[in-house]
Each structure stands twice: as C-alpha cells, then as structure tokens.
Amino acid sequence: MAERRGAKVASIVAAAWDLAHREGIGGVTLHGLARAVGMRQPSLYAYFDSKNALFDAMFADGNRQLLERLEAVRLPREPRAALKAFMRAFVRFVVEDPTRYLLLFQRPVPSFVPSPASYEPAQQFLARTVELLRAAGVEDLGDIDCFVAMIAGLVDAQIGNDPGGRRWIRHLDRLIDLYIDDAIQRRSHDR
Amino acid sequence: MAERRGAKVASIVAAAWDLAHREGIGGVTLHGLARAVGMRQPSLYAYFDSKNALFDAMFADGNRQLLERLEAVRLPREPRAALKAFMRAFVRFVVEDPTRYLLLFQRPVPSFVPSPASYEPAQQFLARTVELLRAAGVEDLGDIDCFVAMIAGLVDAQIGNDPGGRRWIRHLDRLIDLYIDDAIQRRSHDR
DNA sequence: GTCTATACATCGATAGAC
DNA sequence: GTCTATCGATGTATAGAC
C-alpha cells in the first residue's frame, strides 16, 4: 500500500512545520527533523530526494491549507462585503502562523525555489482575489496592484512589529473601503 | 595615524557591499570578503571583532547614506508637497539598491541584531516622517501606522516583483494624497 | 527502509610565527 | 597587521550493510 508511505510523508512534513515554529525556517535541518521523527538523518532520503524537496512539500502543504481555509469561507452576496470576508479570512490565516506566512510569501530560504506545481495554488488565490476586487468595482490593474501591496504591507507590519496583536490589521476593513471607493470614484471620473 | 585605519575599514565595508550586491547578503562570508580585498580571512579580525561587527558596520553605513540623502532634499514649504518630496526621495533610495534596503529594513540575517548606535539613524528617519505626516494633517497614530505600512508594502512589491521598474512606486503620490485626505476627513468628522 | 559510517563542503574563530 | 595552520561546528548528501 502506498497509503502508508503517504501518511508517513505527511507526518514528516507536519514535524517539519513544528520544528520551523520552534526554531524558525532556517532552523529546519535534516538532522533536527530526523531526530524529531525518531529517525536518523540519512533515512529521510527515503522520503525526500533533497532538502529542497522537503521545503517544496512544506510549501505545497501550506498552500493547500490556505486554499482549504478560503474555500470554506461563506461569502456574502454583496461584492464589497464578500471581498472583506475573503480578505479577513486571509489575514486571519496569515497572522495565526507567521512562520507559515514567511515560507509561503516571503521566500526566507534563498536557495529554495518552489516547483510550478506547488506554486499553482498561490496563483489561484491571487486570481480569486482579483475576481472579488473586480466584482467590487476595482478593475484597473494599477488599483489592483496597490490593493495587493497594501494588504501585504499591513500583514507584514503586523507580523513584524506586533505579532499576536491587532495594531495594524484592525484597520483592514476601513482600508478596503478606502481603496474601493477611490477606485470607483476615479473610474467614473475617467469617463 | 588612525586615519589610515579608518580608511581601510571603510574600504572593507565598501567591498562587503559590493559582495552583497553580487551574492546577496547571505553570500557575504569572511572568506569571500577577504579574497575580495586581497587578504586572508583571519586578517579581517584586525578590523572587525566578529562577523556581527561587520554587519553592524554595514548597517550603520547604510543608515548614514539614508540620512545623508534625505537631509539633502529641499522640502517645499507646503506640508503635503514636503511629505511627497521626502517620501519620493526615500523610495528612490530604496529601489536603487534593493540589497541595501534588505539589510536596513528587512533583517535578512537572523543572527544579526544591530547595535543601538547603528539603529539610531533609522529611528531618526521614522521620527522625521511622523513629523512631516503631522504637518500634513495626519495626526492619528492609527493613520500613521497605516501610512507607514502602505509605503513599506509599495516598495516591497516593487523590489520583489518588478525590480528596476516603476509598476508600484508610480502610484506613490496618488496614494499619499489618498491617505492624507482620508485622515483629514476622518479627523474633522470625529469632532 | 533504516541503519552506520563517512565524504565533502562551508564557515566563523583562534593560536602563534613573522 | 598579516600570515599559515588548524580547530570545531554545522549541514547536505552518498555508500553500503542489514
């Protein structure tokens, strides 16, 4: 049965996340991970071809968690409320696990480049965001860029300067309104 | 003469920046740096007590460059225009050298913590920004937080996704207006 | 699949001669 | 101040027995 093997791989990835939470992403070493799962370091190569493959599995796992979470969100019919609900869920996902956010969105491991397959869910998330933005009246590509950058700036500041708090993310709803209103106003002005 | 020594230290720091530009901050090793300046690795310890001391010297040097640049900016009398000129200079400083930005504002070296003396100019910069924001009518601490986070999000997106381009930073002026107007409007509303 | 043993590389830091 | 020599730690990866 290949099921056994898959379960084992999943448990190793889970242990890797646990290790990353305690020691930071850079603290994830094959020696440490092997110790955490009760194995010797070379034995890990039965499950991952390289350390990069391990990171890629973690990256894919994190993206899977993200999509799973966002797909579970009940979106209101009203476009603006839907966008807010969606972004709130994203922000909650991010701040509840800064380490995961770092690996998924900040590339803290210079040598690691995610494979296209692992990267695809992240693009899916961005596409969904753009879709909701458009529905809410933000269609200009520049406006979308600004919105995405603003969200990133907000969560970065939150995680970097006030982890566990709400100093920055408490402004999320208000800023969303600000950006949407501005985009709509400028769109009507351009006509 | 201690001048000679100071000049040598400065030239080593300059070589370290050069190395960082080519190999990334993480690629700055004492072996590589020594090779770049025509020395052997242990000889660097005549100028820096540790690798941390080297990073601290680079950090201080980068902050000195930042203050030097910003102090040279001629600020218009009108507060809003002054804020824009100041932030434009900051953004220009940042995008012209992403590596320097990384070391100064992103802490890409987990083990490195800047000394208080090296960190002070960065606080000076933030204080000046807050001062200009206040003069332009942004006084609420939450509004200041949001503004700073927005700027950071903008330059992060620019450097990360379109280095050398202007896709994000071209919106700088407009976004500054947006934030100022909103802050002023909400301030008058609260009364 | 898991182990022991080990190769191989990188890097920071120290000792001591000159 | 600069050198040679070397230590010691860390970390990825491979070889080969079981």
Side-chain angles (χ1 to χ4, degrees):
Chain A
M1 273 213 201
E3 291 300 324
R4 280 269 172 268
R5 182 187 170 81
K8 183 89 184 196
V9 168
S11 78
I12 294 176
V13 169
W17 278 120
D18 195 58
L19 194 58
H21 292 143
R22 292 199 313 271
E23 316 273 350
I25 295 284
V28 176
T29 69
L30 296 182
H31 282 98
L33 177 57
R35 195 180 324 121
V37 296
M39 292 172 67
R40 303 293 177 165
Q41 175 254 349
S43 305
L44 289 175
Y45 282 83
Y47 301 98
F48 303 97
D49 290 340
S50 66
K51 192 179 183 184
N52 232 286
L54 168 68
F55 278 132
D56 203 49
M58 295 176 73
F59 186 84
D61 183 52
N63 274 303
R64 183 194 52 74
Q65 293 174 33
L66 173 61
L67 281 195
E68 191 175 291
R69 175 78 63 90
L70 293 181
E71 275 164 11
V73 177
R74 300 283 295 174
L75 294 183
R77 236 181 281 281
E78 202 273 308
R80 185 182 296 231
L83 178 62
K84 284 181 185 171
F86 193 74
M87 297 317 297
R88 266 198 297 260
F90 171 68
V91 167
R92 209 176 313 128
F93 177 85
V94 159
V95 298
E96 84 185 13
D97 191 341
T99 301
R100 184 177 56 189
Y101 172 69
L102 241 66
L103 182 61
L104 293 188
F105 297 101
Q106 302 272 50
R107 293 305 136 71
V109 186
S111 63
F112 164 60
V113 179
S115 64
S118 302
Y119 194 69
E120 195 247 315
Q123 292 177 308
Q124 215 172 320
F125 162 63
L126 183 58
R128 188 86 182 92
T129 302
V130 170
E131 193 181 319
L132 290 169
L133 272 169
R134 287 228 165 87
V138 183
E139 310 203 31
D140 179 78
L141 290 183
D143 289 341
I144 293 174
D145 280 348
C146 289
F147 181 88
V148 171
M150 177 271 289
I151 297 291
L154 215 59
V155 299
D156 271 9
Q158 185 61 58
I159 287 177
N161 305 314
D162 179 35
R166 298 190 48 81
R167 178 168 163 186
W168 275 270
I169 59 176
R170 70 192 162 118
H171 300 106
L172 178 63
D173 273 18
R174 177 170 67 76
L175 287 172
I176 293 178
D177 277 325
L178 182 63
Y179 277 68
I180 293 180
D181 288 341
D182 180 60
I184 291 176
Q185 185 184 333
R186 290 173 52 254
R187 188 177 56 169
S188 65
H189 182 273
D190 284 354
R191 285 176 185 162
Chain B
M1 271 213 202
E3 290 302 325
R4 280 268 172 270
R5 182 188 169 81
K8 184 89 185 198
V9 168
S11 79
I12 294 176
V13 169
W17 278 120
D18 194 59
L19 194 58
H21 292 144
R22 292 198 312 269
E23 315 274 349
I25 295 285
V28 176
T29 69
L30 295 183
H31 283 95
L33 177 57
R35 195 179 326 119
V37 297
M39 292 171 68
R40 302 293 177 163
Q41 175 253 349
S43 305
L44 289 175
Y45 282 83
Y47 301 98
F48 302 97
D49 289 340
S50 67
K51 192 181 183 183
N52 232 287
L54 168 68
F55 277 133
D56 203 50
M58 295 175 73
F59 186 84
D61 184 52
N63 274 303
R64 181 193 54 73
Q65 293 174 32
L66 173 60
L67 282 196
E68 191 175 291
R69 175 77 64 89
L70 294 181
E71 275 166 9
V73 178
R74 299 284 295 172
L75 294 184
R77 235 181 282 284
E78 202 272 308
R80 185 181 295 232
L83 178 63
K84 283 181 186 171
F86 192 75
M87 297 316 297
R88 267 199 296 261
F90 171 68
V91 167
R92 210 177 312 128
F93 177 84
V94 159
V95 298
E96 83 185 12
D97 190 340
T99 302
R100 184 176 56 188
Y101 172 69
L102 242 66
L103 182 61
L104 293 188
F105 297 101
Q106 302 271 49
R107 293 305 136 68
V109 186
S111 62
F112 165 60
V113 180
S115 64
S118 302
Y119 194 68
E120 196 247 316
Q123 291 177 310
Q124 216 172 317
F125 162 63
L126 183 60
R128 188 88 182 90
T129 302
V130 170
E131 193 181 318
L132 290 169
L133 271 168
R134 287 227 164 89
V138 182
E139 308 203 32
D140 180 77
L141 290 183
D143 288 341
I144 294 174
D145 280 347
C146 289
F147 182 88
V148 171
M150 177 271 289
I151 297 291
L154 215 59
V155 298
D156 271 9
Q158 185 60 59
I159 288 177
N161 304 314
D162 179 36
R166 298 190 47 83
R167 178 169 163 187
W168 275 269
I169 60 176
R170 71 194 161 116
H171 299 107
L172 178 64
D173 273 18
R174 177 171 67 77
L175 286 172
I176 292 178
D177 278 326
L178 181 64
Y179 277 68
I180 293 180
D181 288 341
D182 180 60
I184 291 176
Q185 184 185 332
R186 290 173 51 254
R187 188 176 57 169
S188 66
H189 182 273
D190 284 354
R191 287 180 184 159

